[in-house]
Amino acid sequence: LLLFLVGCKQSDSNTESTTASTDRETTENTAVEIPEDFPDFYNKFHQDAQFQIDHISFPLEERSDGTKWEEENWVIHQPFDDQSGEFERDFTNFGGMITETIKEKNNLFYIIRRYTKMSGEWTLIYYVTGTKLENFKEVIQ
């Protein structure tokens, strides 16, 4: 048990020294294992518009008007920045599929993005946004 705790502590110190979207994100005090190559992908995805387009599996899930997200109407996503403190973000890893959830703290707005590896490269496979908590609960279930 002592060796396990020491190993966890060393692992936590290593991840704290990397960027904000790094090897681990914490959700309700539970560490989520993020694959080693995901943070580099995630950072590049938000810095390089062509890389972003090339790593999206169009068409994506429906937009709020019922149409699918297509390359022609895609708006390049920028890095997550919550300097205002109004949003919460967490990551989950279910069998290698990384789900990122960003929600406004008053549950007025949310974004859900899912990434998985396709042909050996991380790819955005799912993207939805919404404005009501009820819709958010339906989407995550």
Side-chain angles (χ1 to χ4, degrees), residues 71-132:
E71 185 174 346
E72 309 76 64
N73 56 28
W74 186 254
V75 176
I76 299 300
H77 290 197
Q78 300 300 312
F80 176 74
D81 177 7
D82 187 33
Q83 290 183 356
S84 66
E86 296 176 35
F87 291 87
E88 297 173 344
R89 176 178 67 168
D90 65 33
F91 290 89
T92 59
N93 180 351
F94 183 75
M97 181 182 346
I98 307 300
T99 300
E100 174 186 25
T101 305
I102 300 171
K103 67 178 186 166
E104 194 266 336
K105 288 184 178 177
N106 293 319
N107 295 315
L108 299 174
F109 177 77
Y110 66 87
I111 294 171
I112 299 174
R113 297 188 281 197
R114 292 186 182 134
Y115 307 87
T116 195
K117 280 204 170 177
M118 297 177 72
S119 300
E121 295 191 25
W122 287 104
T123 303
L124 178 67
I125 60 167
Y126 180 87
Y127 172 68
V128 296
T129 64
T131 56
K132 294 184 180 179

Side-chain angles (χ1 to χ4, degrees), residues 21-34:
S21 54
T22 57
D23 297 344
R24 293 176 184 255
E25 287 292 329
T26 303
T27 306
E28 298 175 13
N29 297 324
T30 304
V32 175
E33 289 295 328
I34 301 298

Side-chain angles (χ1 to χ4, degrees), residues 15-77:
T15 55
E16 290 172 4
S17 65
T18 55
T19 60
S21 54
T22 57
D23 297 344
R24 293 176 184 255
E25 287 292 329
T26 303
T27 306
E28 298 175 13
N29 297 324
T30 304
V32 175
E33 289 295 328
I34 301 298
E36 187 176 302
D37 60 342
F38 184 78
D40 288 338
F41 157 79
Y42 185 87
N43 290 332
K44 188 170 184 180
F45 185 85
H46 291 93
Q47 295 170 353
D48 182 331
Q50 188 59 54
F51 182 85
Q52 187 172 126
I53 293 294
D54 292 344
H55 289 83
I56 298 174
S57 180
F58 290 109
L60 289 174
E61 280 297 313
E62 294 181 14
R63 298 165 25 165
S64 57
D65 64 3
T67 62
K68 300 246 184 216
W69 293 100
E70 300 283 351
E71 185 174 346
E72 309 76 64
N73 56 28
W74 186 254
V75 176
I76 299 300
H77 290 197

